[in-house]
Amino acid sequence: MSAFAHVVVRTGRTAFRLQPTVNPLQTALGPSGTRRVLGAVRTYAAAVFQRDKPHVNIGTIGHVDHGKTTLTAAITKRQAEKGFGNYLEYAKIDKAPEERKRGITISTAHIEYETENRHYSHVDCPGHADYIKNMITGAASMDGAIIVVAATDGQMPQTREHLLLARQVGVKKLVVFVNKVDTIEDKEMLELVEMEMRELLNSYGFEGDETPVVLGSALCALENKQPDVGTEKIDELLNAIDTWIPTPSRELDKPFLMSVEEIFAIAGRGTVVSGRVERGVLKRDAEVEILGKQSTPIKTKVTDIETFKKSCEESRAGDNSGLLLRGIKRSDVRRGMVVAKPGTTRVHKKFLTSLYVLTKEEGGRHTPFHENYRPQLYLRTADEPCTLTWPEGTEDADGKVVMPGDNVEMVCETFHPTVLEEGLRFNVREGGRTVATGLVTRILE
Ligand SMILES: Nc1nc2c(ncn2[C@@H]2O[C@H](COP(=O)(O)OP(=O)(O)OP(=O)(O)O)[C@@H](O)[C@H]2O)c(=O)[nH]1
Ligand SMILES: [Mg+2]
């Protein structure tokens, strides 16, 4: 039985429904019977999360209307036919108007399916702005991605922007899906799109020559038409993802840390925080600290864990988990705070950073900035105002400016105490655009 089943809650930031995935047979039989039934009949919606395949986080990225959601729906349809997932219709993934009306929607859909070899969590966002936000805050942290490009348009501004972002957030391997080939007669045109994509990947630091490029039609696959460009290409794509995107090595032996993405109040049970586990393993009933936004940590205990909407004994690096916290009010926790093993990390306010300031062409500022610049820092899931100044002893600090395209070392001070570590990456945003990416090089305070 799903630990936090059948609950619809509205929270301050987003509204969310924790969906029960309960199969009546399983409920009747209980957890031990469930396993026996699962052995005999392939039932996908297991109430208990089965950790029998390596888990990989992926997602669809690319320009508006190039077919990301159609492709996502087509993948779930194909894998459902093979008993590897549940078919999710286009409308369910995308706008979900019914749910929107009732205010039950999330900006990132975590969709789940399997292949022979792996278990996937797949992210598709409803719009460009959501992609930017979710990629930067790490809500959509992907081990690899499918970049979708419509053969009818070829690469477009958001194709490039998403590639840049993918590189910045540490995505190393991509698979290209050239979509809508059902509408293209001219074979040379397709070759051109493929060639241009390989060049573009190279220019953004991906292995463009080796990257698998699959040419197909997500719509055909979804509508069961022309299997040679439809279904067969979905199989080819999944095969490419399985082989080209490596299974990430998770930091399982480090102390547990999860940055809070969303917070729910569950009637009668308490407060649940959810997010992607960055490192370590957490067992049910473990003591934890919640850090950030304030100088002293909050001490509590995790009394239940859900991973992929299924109750489980433990939560591990790479999982998307919900943690039920004992004695914590919804208002005690905010997005961007960190749940960690007690005594293993702490908050800071000031650090030295190495910054890369994006150029105008990369979507950054058109003009230079001076010190005491006050943008927004996006670090893990935290979104924090900060001030950038020159390090002590910088010559001509008074009039010194930072130009788009510069790589500089500066001192960053956050408004609230924030959990920081040397080597951590973050993004700097201003007025809805990314203006810089940075690395924490030394903690100062
Ligand atoms: N002809 C053709 N049309 C397609 C194909 N795939 C998607 N489309 C159509 O292209 C349009 C956009 O598809 P979506 O899947 O919504 O695109 P998207 O990339 O998710 O769009 P945003 O989420 O708004 O960025 C829809 O009308 C689809 O039916 C295809 O393979 N062939
Ligand atoms: Mg879409």
Side-chain angles (χ1 to χ4, degrees):
M1 179 74 193
S2 172
F4 322 127
H6 288 285
V7 191
V8 178
V9 220
R10 293 209 60 155
T11 65
R13 204 180 163 97
T14 39
F16 195 93
R17 178 173 55 183
L18 290 166
Q19 269 183 334
T21 45
V22 183
N23 167 329
L25 244 186
Q26 291 165 353
T27 314
L29 289 169
S32 57
T34 304
R35 244 164 267 135
R36 264 185 283 125
V37 171
L38 280 175
V41 188
R42 177 85 205 174
T43 312
Y44 188 72
V48 176
F49 178 52
Q50 312 266 319
R51 204 182 287 280
D52 52 3
K53 292 178 183 177
H55 174 71
V56 180
N57 294 301
I58 59 167
T60 31
I61 58 175
H63 196 75
V64 60
D65 270 355
H66 278 198
K68 300 178 289 295
T69 306
T70 311
L71 180 64
T72 305
I75 293 173
T76 65
K77 178 163 177 284
R78 183 64 183 149
Q79 296 318 93
E81 286 166 7
K82 296 180 177 173
F84 282 151
N86 297 321
Y87 173 36
L88 261 178
E89 289 161 47
Y90 178 94
K92 286 240 169 67
I93 301 169
D94 208 37
K95 307 290 186 285
E98 256 308 294
E99 297 203 333
R100 272 262 145 114
K101 244 184 270 160
R102 302 193 331 243
I104 312 160
T105 183
I106 46 168
S107 56
T108 319
H110 288 274
I111 298 144
E112 215 192 326
Y113 52 82
E114 291 177 21
T115 60
E116 289 282 348
N117 309 315
R118 285 169 165 182
H119 177 265
Y120 287 98
S121 170
H122 177 128
V123 168
D124 183 61
C125 295
H128 179 63
D130 292 302
Y131 272 101
I132 304 282
K133 196 177 111 215
N134 287 313
M135 282 177 85
I136 288 171
T137 60
S141 46
M142 301 179 205
D143 305 312
I146 309 166
I147 176 110
V148 181
V149 57
T152 40
D153 285 344
Q155 45 174 282
M156 294 290 279
Q158 286 158 20
T159 318
R160 296 186 281 273
E161 193 171 350
H162 290 184
L163 277 180
L164 176 73
L165 268 169
R167 193 194 66 186
Q168 284 166 11
V169 301
V171 175
K172 297 206 171 56
K173 300 257 185 176
L174 299 165
V175 171
V176 179
F177 190 78
V178 177
N179 192 28
K180 309 197 186 183
V181 306
D182 55 311
T183 59
I184 305 285
E185 300 268 295
D186 184 358
K187 285 269 177 299
E188 274 178 28
M189 172 87 171
L190 292 176
E191 278 167 25
L192 194 69
V193 173
E194 174 174 344
M195 209 175 70
E196 280 182 353
M197 278 306 291
R198 291 191 185 281
E199 271 171 26
L200 189 69
L201 288 175
N202 280 331
S203 74
Y204 281 102
F206 295 102
E207 297 153 87
D209 301 334
E210 293 80 28
T211 297
V213 177
V214 178
L215 295 92
S217 164
L219 196 62
C220 286
L222 200 58
E223 295 182 342
N224 286 327
K225 290 179 189 151
Q226 303 181 53
D228 58 322
V229 293
T231 310
E232 285 170 26
K233 293 299 174 177
I234 301 296
D235 289 349
E236 193 180 319
L237 174 69
L238 283 161
N239 193 29
I241 295 167
D242 261 358
T243 47
W244 179 247
I245 296 170
T247 303
S249 56
R250 309 277 180 214
E251 299 186 293
L252 290 176
D253 40 8
K254 294 208 174 154
F256 180 84
L257 190 147
M258 182 188 93
S259 192
V260 175
E261 201 182 306
E262 292 187 278
I263 305 142
F264 322 106
I266 309 285
R269 299 221 51 193
T271 299
V272 171
V273 292
S274 72
R276 167 92 190 280
V277 180
E278 185 173 309
R279 64 191 182 213
V281 179
L282 180 85
K283 302 257 186 231
R284 190 185 290 164
D285 290 328
E287 309 272 342
V288 292
E289 281 178 352
I290 305 169
L291 306 105
K293 302 287 178 193
Q294 55 188 41
S295 44
T296 41
I298 307 169
K299 293 190 183 300
T300 179
K301 196 173 178 178
V302 172
T303 52
D304 210 346
I305 300 173
E306 257 198 15
T307 292
F308 303 112
K309 299 182 189 130
K310 289 154 207 155
S311 182
C312 55
E313 287 299 314
E314 60 174 37
S315 169
R316 292 192 196 183
D319 288 354
N320 284 305
S321 293
L323 312 177
L324 182 65
L325 304 172
R326 191 175 66 188
I328 299 292
K329 290 200 295 286
R330 168 142 197 352
S331 55
D332 294 339
V333 196
R334 284 158 68 189
R335 180 191 174 103
M337 288 169 99
V338 155
V339 181
K341 181 176 174 179
T344 58
T345 191
R346 47 176 298 201
V347 293
H348 301 278
K349 281 197 76 174
K350 210 168 177 181
F351 60 92
L352 198 64
T353 171
S354 163
L355 275 185
Y356 170 72
V357 184
L358 269 62
T359 62
K360 187 171 83 179
E361 291 72 29
E362 289 170 318
R365 288 172 59 98
H366 296 213
T367 54
F369 63 82
H370 293 79
E371 75 165 342
N372 290 319
Y373 177 48
R374 289 195 167 79
Q376 221 40 36
L377 189 77
Y378 283 75
L379 186 140
R380 294 194 173 110
T381 59
D383 166 357
E384 188 66 33
C386 72
T387 308
L388 293 169
T389 50
W390 293 113
E392 233 173 90
T394 303
E395 272 179 45
D396 307 323
D398 268 358
K400 197 169 171 177
V401 297
V402 181
M403 299 294 292
D406 281 359
N407 224 322
V408 288
E409 183 165 74
M410 294 190 89
V411 173
C412 181
E413 186 164 0
T414 57
F415 187 72
H416 292 105
T418 306
V419 174
L420 293 170
E421 281 143 25
E422 287 170 6
L424 201 64
R425 290 190 176 280
F426 60 88
N427 283 281
V428 178
R429 311 245 304 154
E430 177 203 346
R433 72 167 81 178
T434 307
V435 297
T437 66
L439 185 70
V440 178
T441 50
R442 187 148 47 90
I443 307 277
L444 299 174
E445 262 172 41

